[in-house]
Structures are given as structure tokens and as C-alpha cells.
Amino acid sequence: MGSYQEHALESASAVELVVALYDGIIRFLYAARTAVERGDLAARRTAVKRALDIIIHLQARLRMDVGGRPALALSEFYAAIFAQILQASQSASLQKFEHAIESVRNVRDAWREVARDPEVNPAPVQVMAMGGDEYGAEATVGSRWNA
């Protein structure tokens, strides 16, 4: 990954990281679709595996005890999209890959809206030097932590 991308991810909020993971799923689904068009079985399997790995990661990070109904809905979405991607891959179906891409894109767009809400997604931490502190301490403005 390039240094620009690394820096962007380092300074991203939790919600922005979720959006980036959804972007990854979409990118790998497009790669799988392209592999189907080329008849490249190995590339299709690799792309599908990477998309499914991200879905497994997202599913494993759900906090059902904190998230309530939205977490349950996301869990059901992840199970459904996982099955849909497997079916698309097994049948090498461009149409099924397109449907999976559209489904993931819809949920990713909802996460993007959440990322724009300053109450849910506060500004990243900024460190400012404060002159005159005998300990050389820095003041922190903003917060990365969400309740």
C-alpha cells in the first residue's frame, strides 16, 4: 500500500475504516467478475476469497451486546452476502456478482452517510503544542473515541 493510503487509514475514524473495508469488498467483487469474463478460475477464486475474508472480519467485529437491532441486521446482511458471493463464484455468474456488488454498495453508501455525521463520527485527534508547559506536554483536541 502506498504511503498516502497508509496515512489516510492511520488518520481514519472507525466508521471511515468500515467504509474502506466495504470499498475493498466491492473492488474484489469487480476483480472476480472480470476474472469470470476472462475465464480465469484462479483469479476468480483469489478475488472471492479476499472479499469473503473482509466479510468474515466485519462479522467477527460486530458487538451484538452494544449494537442491538442494527448489529443483528448487519449480521444477517453479512451472512446473506457471503452466501450470495459463494453462489456467484460457484456458478461463475456475472449477474450474481453484479447483484452482490450492488447490495454491498448500498450498505457502503449508508456507512458513508454515517461517516458524514459529526455526532457519530467526530473529527480525528489533533495534537497541538502548548507553549509554557514545564513538562512539554501536548494538548489533545477532539477525540477518536465513540461512545
Side-chain angles (χ1 to χ4, degrees):
M1 190 177 332
S3 62
Y4 173 77
Q5 288 174 321
E6 288 171 7
H7 179 69
L9 290 177
E10 286 173 6
S11 64
S13 70
V15 176
E16 291 165 337
L17 291 174
V18 171
V19 171
L21 288 170
Y22 276 83
D23 287 340
I25 295 168
I26 293 167
R27 185 175 65 249
F28 292 125
L29 291 176
Y30 273 119
R33 187 191 66 161
T34 300
V36 167
E37 290 174 335
R38 290 191 325 253
D40 188 341
L41 178 64
R44 183 182 81 220
R45 286 182 177 167
T46 298
V48 165
K49 181 188 180 317
R50 295 192 71 188
L52 294 178
D53 285 346
I54 295 171
I55 293 167
I56 290 167
H57 174 82
L58 288 166
Q59 176 79 33
R61 299 306 181 276
L62 284 176
R63 296 273 318 266
M64 303 306 273
D65 58 327
V66 176
R69 292 178 71 162
L72 179 60
L74 280 171
S75 179
E76 291 171 355
F77 169 73
Y78 295 145
I81 201 67
F82 190 96
Q84 188 177 359
I85 293 168
L86 281 179
Q87 290 173 355
S89 183
Q90 290 172 343
S91 62
S93 169
L94 293 174
Q95 189 174 16
K96 288 181 181 181
F97 275 117
E98 285 295 329
H99 187 265
I101 290 166
E102 189 60 32
S103 297
V104 172
R105 184 180 291 126
N106 287 338
V107 177
R108 189 258 335 254
D109 290 346
W111 277 106
R112 276 188 173 165
E113 286 301 313
V114 171
R116 290 185 185 114
D117 185 344
E119 289 186 27
V120 176
N121 192 31
V125 173
Q126 299 173 2
V127 178
M128 300 182 334
M130 301 295 284
D133 185 343
E134 64 188 64
Y135 300 105
E138 296 176 329
T140 301
V141 178
S143 173
R144 282 182 184 245
W145 301 102
N146 295 329

